[in-house]
Amino acid sequence: MIKIVLAEDHLVVLNGVKLLLESQSDLEVIDQGTNGNMILDILKSGNIPDVLITDINMSDMDGLELITHVKNDYPTIKIIVLSMLNNVQHVLQAFQNGANGYLVKNVGYEEMLYAIRHVAKGGRFLCEEVSMIMLETLQKSPSAFLNIEQIMLKIGLTEREMEVLELIGEGFTNLQIADKLFLSKRTVEGHRQNLLEKTGVKNTAALIKYAIKTGLMQ
């Protein structure tokens, strides 16, 4: 029996995934939470799963932060990301933080079930949709993945700062970004200022130009 904990803040998705998994004789959902802090409390209580399935965008503590905490404190737990986000940066960051698998939320149920069983046995898994996106990106620009990781490491960008940068590039205001990422406006302003300081530019227009030129943002 593969014991599973779910981290998902959309109840429709949470209940749908739970129903699917519980229809399988070899899978058992032993607990669930809507953010990273809830999941850590579950683990501290001694309810340890074989596999943790987590979203990325959650309030209080997102999935990427959760992965880091879980891998540091509970290294035997296998982690699968289940997210709407299919861009290269999030996939790379998830695996860098310690994820064992990455699925998008429109994944077919057969692929999801295979991924869970495969990861539970010690394997790693990347869903077909993300694999094709990464392959197409690599074909267009063979150095794309290397450049993104090198730039992030070189200037010290965090994953949260990358998320803020992407939303800045899409034209969102600080308040709108705060709403989307479940942060305070003041926190977003701090991330924006960090981005300016780390990239060495003076304003938002220059920041976007820098991000596009270096490949951090397309």
Side-chain angles (χ1 to χ4, degrees):
M1 181 69 71
I2 299 172
K3 296 180 179 180
I4 299 168
V5 166
L6 300 175
E8 171 60 62
D9 63 352
H10 289 87
L11 292 181
V12 173
V13 176
L14 177 63
N15 292 331
V17 172
K18 186 176 180 180
L19 282 172
L20 170 63
L21 300 185
E22 291 184 337
S23 71
Q24 306 298 304
S25 61
D26 61 331
L27 305 179
E28 179 187 6
V29 177
I30 61 172
D31 218 325
Q32 62 194 52
T34 57
N35 61 59
N37 286 320
M38 289 182 65
I39 298 301
L40 292 181
D41 287 341
I42 289 169
L43 300 181
K44 289 174 184 176
S45 73
N47 217 6
I48 308 298
D50 300 302
V51 176
L52 168 66
I53 300 176
T54 181
D55 192 4
I56 288 182
N57 283 338
M58 299 183 291
S59 60
D60 295 333
M61 180 190 294
D62 66 23
L64 293 172
E65 294 176 76
L66 175 61
I67 293 170
T68 300
H69 284 292
V70 172
K71 282 299 179 181
N72 286 337
D73 298 335
Y74 309 92
T76 62
I77 297 177
K78 306 297 191 297
I79 303 175
I80 297 175
V81 172
L82 178 63
S83 175
M84 288 293 294
L85 304 171
N86 63 5
N87 61 66
V88 172
Q89 291 93 330
H90 283 101
V91 175
L92 290 175
Q93 189 67 52
F95 279 104
Q96 186 175 33
N97 287 14
N100 304 94
Y102 199 106
L103 305 172
V104 290
K105 286 185 177 177
N106 61 351
V107 65
Y109 73 90
E110 290 183 355
E111 188 175 7
M112 178 184 289
L113 294 175
Y114 173 83
I116 293 170
R117 292 172 178 131
H118 181 67
V119 166
K121 292 178 181 178
R124 307 185 80 185
F125 190 86
L126 186 61
C127 70
E128 181 180 2
E129 179 179 322
V130 175
S131 296
M132 293 309 299
I133 290 173
M134 296 183 78
L135 178 59
E136 290 170 3
T137 303
L138 185 59
Q139 288 175 327
K140 293 177 182 177
S141 178
S143 61
F145 301 139
L146 181 61
N147 286 344
I148 290 170
E149 284 200 289
Q150 284 184 337
I151 293 165
M152 287 180 67
L153 289 172
K154 183 178 179 180
I155 64 179
L157 291 189
T158 66
E159 181 60 30
R160 181 63 85 186
E161 287 166 351
M162 278 296 301
E163 290 179 332
V164 172
L165 176 60
E166 289 173 9
L167 293 173
I168 290 173
E170 293 174 17
F172 291 103
T173 65
N174 286 347
L175 184 58
Q176 290 170 326
I177 293 172
D179 289 339
K180 282 183 171 293
L181 298 181
F182 304 102
L183 301 172
S184 69
K185 182 172 178 286
R186 185 172 181 178
T187 298
V188 173
E189 290 171 349
H191 286 314
R192 186 187 286 261
Q193 184 60 38
N194 288 341
L195 286 166
L196 295 177
E197 292 175 357
K198 289 180 178 180
T199 57
V201 299
K202 296 182 179 180
N203 53 50
T204 300
L207 174 63
I208 294 173
K209 183 178 180 180
Y210 174 94
I212 293 174
K213 184 177 179 179
T214 58
L216 279 172
M217 188 169 64
Q218 297 180 354

